[in-house]
Amino acid sequence: QVQLVESGGGLVQPGGSLRLSCVASGIIFSITDMGWYRQAPGKQRELVAGITSGGSTKYADSVKGRFTISAYNAKSTVYLQMNSLKPEDTAVYYCSADDPRYAMRYWGKGTLVTVSS
């Protein structure tokens, strides 16, 4: 089992920045990819950014150039640096971790980001 705990959400004005953190614990040695997803009210959950165990990254078009995903200490902590935030970035942000041994995707409980003046 893998546990994921997100932190760093909050209220920020448009144009501001936040850094989200996701700490993984439990049996993490077999985790490969990790990512950040978000879900706005009335919308489906969508991929924001992902990072592989090799360090390759991918981003949703809507956040390219503004958000940066990074990992610390291999797979134990993943960050999402969010700059130039827009009201449309308002959502609950979820951390994910994939374990291909069991074809499992683990999820955190989410952290709320609100971008508003």
Side-chain angles (χ1 to χ4, degrees):
Q1 284 287 342
V2 174
Q3 295 79 42
L4 302 173
V5 179
E6 304 100 332
S7 62
L11 173 64
V12 63
Q13 292 187 342
S17 299
L18 282 175
R19 188 176 82 155
L20 305 183
S21 300
C22 171
V23 178
S25 61
I27 304 174
I28 66 172
F29 70 91
S30 59
I31 290 176
T32 54
D33 300 353
M34 296 188 73
W36 287 95
Y37 288 73
R38 67 186 180 189
Q39 187 166 18
K43 295 187 177 182
Q44 289 188 332
R45 191 174 297 188
E46 61 175 359
L47 175 68
V48 176
I51 186 166
T52 69
S53 56
S56 298
T57 58
K58 59 181 177 182
Y59 298 92
D61 288 342
S62 59
V63 307
K64 282 181 181 176
R66 299 189 298 123
F67 290 11
T68 303
I69 188 170
S70 61
Y72 173 74
N73 192 19
K75 295 160 285 189
S76 66
T77 306
V78 176
Y79 301 102
L80 185 68
Q81 178 66 44
M82 305 186 295
N83 299 326
S84 302
L85 283 161
K86 305 175 181 179
E88 51 264 42
D89 295 318
T90 295
V92 177
Y93 284 70
Y94 297 92
C95 179
S96 70
D98 294 343
D99 186 342
R101 287 189 313 162
Y102 303 111
M104 286 287 296
R105 171 165 288 172
Y106 297 96
W107 296 96
K109 293 184 178 180
T111 184
L112 176 63
V113 172
T114 303
V115 184
S116 175
S117 55

